[in-house]
PDB file of all heavy atoms in Angstrom:
ATOM      1  N   GLN K 201     116.204  87.965   5.091  1.00 75.00           N
ATOM      2  CA  GLN K 201     115.167  88.737   5.437  1.00 75.00           C
ATOM      3  C   GLN K 201     115.684  90.081   5.990  1.00 75.00           C
ATOM      4  O   GLN K 201     115.547  90.436   7.130  1.00 75.00           O
ATOM      5  CB  GLN K 201     114.317  88.091   6.616  1.00 75.00           C
ATOM      6  CG  GLN K 201     113.889  86.641   6.024  1.00 75.00           C
ATOM      7  CD  GLN K 201     112.915  86.045   6.967  1.00 75.00           C
ATOM      8  OE1 GLN K 201     112.219  86.719   7.751  1.00 75.00           O
ATOM      9  NE2 GLN K 201     112.885  84.644   6.946  1.00 75.00           N
ATOM     10  N   ARG K 202     116.108  90.762   5.073  1.00 70.00           N
ATOM     11  CA  ARG K 202     116.895  92.134   5.301  1.00 70.00           C
ATOM     12  C   ARG K 202     115.941  93.176   6.132  1.00 70.00           C
ATOM     13  O   ARG K 202     116.453  93.731   7.074  1.00 70.00           O
ATOM     14  CB  ARG K 202     117.197  92.702   4.122  1.00 70.00           C
ATOM     15  CG  ARG K 202     118.285  93.960   4.122  1.00 70.00           C
ATOM     16  CD  ARG K 202     118.843  94.190   2.676  1.00 70.00           C
ATOM     17  NE  ARG K 202     119.498  92.967   2.139  1.00 70.00           N
ATOM     18  CZ  ARG K 202     120.878  92.804   2.174  1.00 70.00           C
ATOM     19  NH1 ARG K 202     121.592  93.778   2.700  1.00 70.00           N
ATOM     20  NH2 ARG K 202     121.375  91.779   1.666  1.00 70.00           N
ATOM     21  N   ARG K 203     114.767  93.096   5.679  1.00 73.00           N
ATOM     22  CA  ARG K 203     113.777  94.074   6.202  1.00 73.00           C
ATOM     23  C   ARG K 203     113.691  94.027   7.735  1.00 73.00           C
ATOM     24  O   ARG K 203     113.358  94.948   8.395  1.00 73.00           O
ATOM     25  CB  ARG K 203     112.494  93.721   5.538  1.00 73.00           C
ATOM     26  CG  ARG K 203     111.247  94.716   5.795  1.00 73.00           C
ATOM     27  CD  ARG K 203     111.466  95.991   5.083  1.00 73.00           C
ATOM     28  NE  ARG K 203     110.189  96.745   5.422  1.00 73.00           N
ATOM     29  CZ  ARG K 203     110.280  97.799   6.131  1.00 73.00           C
ATOM     30  NH1 ARG K 203     111.219  98.364   6.457  1.00 73.00           N
ATOM     31  NH2 ARG K 203     108.986  98.507   6.474  1.00 73.00           N
ATOM     32  N   LEU K 204     113.769  92.833   8.222  1.00 74.00           N
ATOM     33  CA  LEU K 204     113.550  92.701   9.688  1.00 74.00           C
ATOM     34  C   LEU K 204     114.547  93.374  10.622  1.00 74.00           C
ATOM     35  O   LEU K 204     114.349  93.675  11.714  1.00 74.00           O
ATOM     36  CB  LEU K 204     113.462  91.185  10.034  1.00 74.00           C
ATOM     37  CG  LEU K 204     112.289  90.472   9.511  1.00 74.00           C
ATOM     38  CD1 LEU K 204     112.430  88.920   9.741  1.00 74.00           C
ATOM     39  CD2 LEU K 204     110.985  90.974   9.928  1.00 74.00           C
ATOM     40  N   PHE K 205     115.784  93.420  10.059  1.00 81.00           N
ATOM     41  CA  PHE K 205     116.884  93.740  11.048  1.00 81.00           C
ATOM     42  C   PHE K 205     117.715  95.021  10.552  1.00 81.00           C
ATOM     43  O   PHE K 205     118.920  95.043  10.588  1.00 81.00           O
ATOM     44  CB  PHE K 205     117.888  92.602  11.098  1.00 81.00           C
ATOM     45  CG  PHE K 205     117.151  91.295  11.420  1.00 81.00           C
ATOM     46  CD1 PHE K 205     117.119  90.244  10.550  1.00 81.00           C
ATOM     47  CD2 PHE K 205     116.517  91.213  12.628  1.00 81.00           C
ATOM     48  CE1 PHE K 205     116.364  89.053  10.876  1.00 81.00           C
ATOM     49  CE2 PHE K 205     115.735  90.001  12.913  1.00 81.00           C
ATOM     50  CZ  PHE K 205     115.757  89.041  11.979  1.00 81.00           C
ATOM     51  N   ASP K 206     117.102  95.992  10.060  1.00 83.00           N
ATOM     52  CA  ASP K 206     117.902  97.224   9.633  1.00 83.00           C
ATOM     53  C   ASP K 206     118.058  98.217  10.712  1.00 83.00           C
ATOM     54  O   ASP K 206     118.279  99.428  10.456  1.00 83.00           O
ATOM     55  CB  ASP K 206     117.484  97.735   8.323  1.00 83.00           C
ATOM     56  CG  ASP K 206     115.847  97.967   8.344  1.00 83.00           C
ATOM     57  OD1 ASP K 206     115.381  97.858   9.370  1.00 83.00           O
ATOM     58  OD2 ASP K 206     115.365  98.210   7.283  1.00 83.00           O
ATOM     59  N   ASP K 207     117.913  97.811  11.929  1.00 86.00           N
ATOM     60  CA  ASP K 207     118.372  98.726  13.109  1.00 86.00           C
ATOM     61  C   ASP K 207     119.817  98.475  13.371  1.00 86.00           C
ATOM     62  O   ASP K 207     120.379  97.461  13.113  1.00 86.00           O
ATOM     63  CB  ASP K 207     117.469  98.388  14.308  1.00 86.00           C
ATOM     64  CG  ASP K 207     116.138  98.767  14.229  1.00 86.00           C
ATOM     65  OD1 ASP K 207     115.821 100.003  13.955  1.00 86.00           O
ATOM     66  OD2 ASP K 207     115.135  97.928  14.352  1.00 86.00           O
ATOM     67  N   THR K 208     120.400  99.523  13.884  1.00 89.00           N
ATOM     68  CA  THR K 208     121.777  99.368  14.250  1.00 89.00           C
ATOM     69  C   THR K 208     121.852  98.596  15.637  1.00 89.00           C
ATOM     70  O   THR K 208     120.973  98.696  16.467  1.00 89.00           O
ATOM     71  CB  THR K 208     122.507 100.722  14.426  1.00 89.00           C
ATOM     72  OG1 THR K 208     121.809 101.511  15.533  1.00 89.00           O
ATOM     73  CG2 THR K 208     122.440 101.583  13.208  1.00 89.00           C
ATOM     74  N   ILE K 209     122.898  97.940  15.744  1.00 89.00           N
ATOM     75  CA  ILE K 209     123.141  97.136  17.039  1.00 89.00           C
ATOM     76  C   ILE K 209     123.163  98.095  18.151  1.00 89.00           C
ATOM     77  O   ILE K 209     122.687  97.802  19.261  1.00 89.00           O
ATOM     78  CB  ILE K 209     124.347  96.234  16.908  1.00 89.00           C
ATOM     79  CG1 ILE K 209     125.570  97.048  16.432  1.00 89.00           C
ATOM     80  CG2 ILE K 209     124.163  95.023  16.090  1.00 89.00           C
ATOM     81  CD1 ILE K 209     126.870  96.274  16.654  1.00 89.00           C
ATOM     82  N   TYR K 210     123.741  99.260  17.961  1.00 89.00           N
ATOM     83  CA  TYR K 210     123.856 100.331  19.032  1.00 89.00           C
ATOM     84  C   TYR K 210     122.464 100.610  19.530  1.00 89.00           C
ATOM     85  O   TYR K 210     122.131 100.704  20.801  1.00 89.00           O
ATOM     86  CB  TYR K 210     124.582 101.451  18.648  1.00 89.00           C
ATOM     87  CG  TYR K 210     124.982 102.356  19.764  1.00 89.00           C
ATOM     88  CD1 TYR K 210     125.926 102.076  20.781  1.00 89.00           C
ATOM     89  CD2 TYR K 210     124.163 103.547  19.944  1.00 89.00           C
ATOM     90  CE1 TYR K 210     126.236 102.981  21.786  1.00 89.00           C
ATOM     91  CE2 TYR K 210     124.517 104.490  21.055  1.00 89.00           C
ATOM     92  CZ  TYR K 210     125.654 104.041  21.999  1.00 89.00           C
ATOM     93  OH  TYR K 210     125.775 104.948  22.980  1.00 89.00           O
ATOM     94  N   ASP K 211     121.542 101.049  18.563  1.00 87.00           N
ATOM     95  CA  ASP K 211     120.258 101.361  18.893  1.00 87.00           C
ATOM     96  C   ASP K 211     119.415 100.226  19.630  1.00 87.00           C
ATOM     97  O   ASP K 211     118.709 100.530  20.423  1.00 87.00           O
ATOM     98  CB  ASP K 211     119.511 101.787  17.636  1.00 87.00           C
ATOM     99  CG  ASP K 211     119.931 103.077  17.080  1.00 87.00           C
ATOM    100  OD1 ASP K 211     120.625 103.820  17.857  1.00 87.00           O
ATOM    101  OD2 ASP K 211     119.679 103.372  15.963  1.00 87.00           O
ATOM    102  N   LEU K 212     119.673  99.103  19.224  1.00 87.00           N
ATOM    103  CA  LEU K 212     118.939  97.918  19.763  1.00 87.00           C
ATOM    104  C   LEU K 212     119.510  97.476  21.199  1.00 87.00           C
ATOM    105  O   LEU K 212     119.023  96.759  21.885  1.00 87.00           O
ATOM    106  CB  LEU K 212     119.241  96.615  18.917  1.00 87.00           C
ATOM    107  CG  LEU K 212     118.461  96.776  17.496  1.00 87.00           C
ATOM    108  CD1 LEU K 212     118.767  95.635  16.706  1.00 87.00           C
ATOM    109  CD2 LEU K 212     116.973  96.818  17.619  1.00 87.00           C
ATOM    110  N   GLY K 213     120.688  98.157  21.564  1.00 88.00           N
ATOM    111  CA  GLY K 213     121.243  97.962  22.911  1.00 88.00           C
ATOM    112  C   GLY K 213     121.899  96.595  22.954  1.00 88.00           C
ATOM    113  O   GLY K 213     122.073  96.001  24.070  1.00 88.00           O
ATOM    114  N   ILE K 214     122.359  96.088  21.797  1.00 90.00           N
ATOM    115  CA  ILE K 214     123.074  94.843  21.769  1.00 90.00           C
ATOM    116  C   ILE K 214     124.616  95.087  22.046  1.00 90.00           C
ATOM    117  O   ILE K 214     125.210  95.865  21.425  1.00 90.00           O
ATOM    118  CB  ILE K 214     122.888  93.959  20.486  1.00 90.00           C
ATOM    119  CG1 ILE K 214     121.499  93.860  20.272  1.00 90.00           C
ATOM    120  CG2 ILE K 214     123.695  92.676  20.576  1.00 90.00           C
ATOM    121  CD1 ILE K 214     121.126  93.249  18.808  1.00 90.00           C
ATOM    122  N   GLY K 215     125.086  94.441  23.106  1.00 90.00           N
ATOM    123  CA  GLY K 215     126.478  94.510  23.436  1.00 90.00           C
ATOM    124  C   GLY K 215     126.685  95.345  24.715  1.00 90.00           C
ATOM    125  O   GLY K 215     125.806  95.736  25.418  1.00 90.00           O
TER     126      GLY K 215
END
Side-chain angles (χ1 to χ4, degrees):
Chain K
Q201 306 188 27
R202 196 167 298 261
R203 184 77 179 111
L204 294 177
F205 308 116
D206 48 13
D207 288 302
T208 65
I209 45 170
Y210 187 78
D211 286 346
L212 293 173
I214 301 174

